Amino acid sequence: MSNTQATGVKATVLNKAVAMLSAIKAEFVIKTEDGEYIKMGNLEVQEPKTRKRRSEFPHGTYKNYVESFGFSTMQVGDVIVVPKGVFDAETVRGSLSSRACKMWGNGSAVTSIVGDVIEILRVS
């Protein structure tokens, strides 16, 4: 257990939790408010990984691009043809599919890459 003794109700709860987990011989790692770790067993603490942004374009660029073709006004049965422009066709197709799922639900649209354009058909 940590060398630092917390005080108050939080310390009481923490000490009881550690005692209970130790009694059942559970392996655990607890990070306290002050950043210290209470560790039992052979578990290793790994710092969270940060996600790196893969796109060279600012956040919202693809959404704004597909919206400029009247995407949000689509009705069931409508087809919109979106040129890939300066973007990768698969990325634009993925953005169209993602927006369709968010706006109308999973399975609401079908997309296809045909040459340098992406077609989207709203089915529900």
Side-chain angles (χ1 to χ4, degrees), residues 2-106:
S2 171
N3 292 337
T4 305
Q5 289 295 327
T7 58
V9 70
K10 288 183 179 181
T12 302
V13 171
L14 178 62
N15 291 334
K16 283 183 181 180
V18 169
M20 286 183 196
L21 291 169
S22 297
I24 61 171
K25 296 184 179 15
E27 292 185 353
F28 61 88
V29 176
I30 299 172
K31 185 176 181 181
T32 63
E33 282 182 314
D34 58 1
E36 291 189 38
Y37 291 97
I38 300 171
K39 181 178 167 186
M40 176 74 143
N42 295 320
L43 299 175
E44 294 297 323
V45 177
Q46 294 182 343
E47 293 301 320
K49 295 179 182 177
T50 57
R51 290 178 43 175
K52 293 183 182 176
R53 194 161 161 75
R54 296 181 309 216
S55 178
E56 60 193 74
F57 300 101
H59 183 74
T61 300
Y62 300 116
K63 174 189 163 287
N64 293 336
Y65 180 70
V66 300
E67 290 289 344
S68 71
F69 293 93
F71 177 80
S72 61
T73 62
M74 286 182 77
Q75 300 298 314
V76 174
D78 287 352
V79 175
I80 291 182
V81 178
V82 179
K84 76 175 188 109
V86 298
F87 307 111
D88 172 63
E90 181 58 36
T91 304
V92 174
R93 189 208 59 75
S95 181
L96 283 165
S97 294
S98 174
R99 295 291 304 149
C101 285
K102 287 178 184 170
M103 290 180 72
W104 307 308
N106 289 342

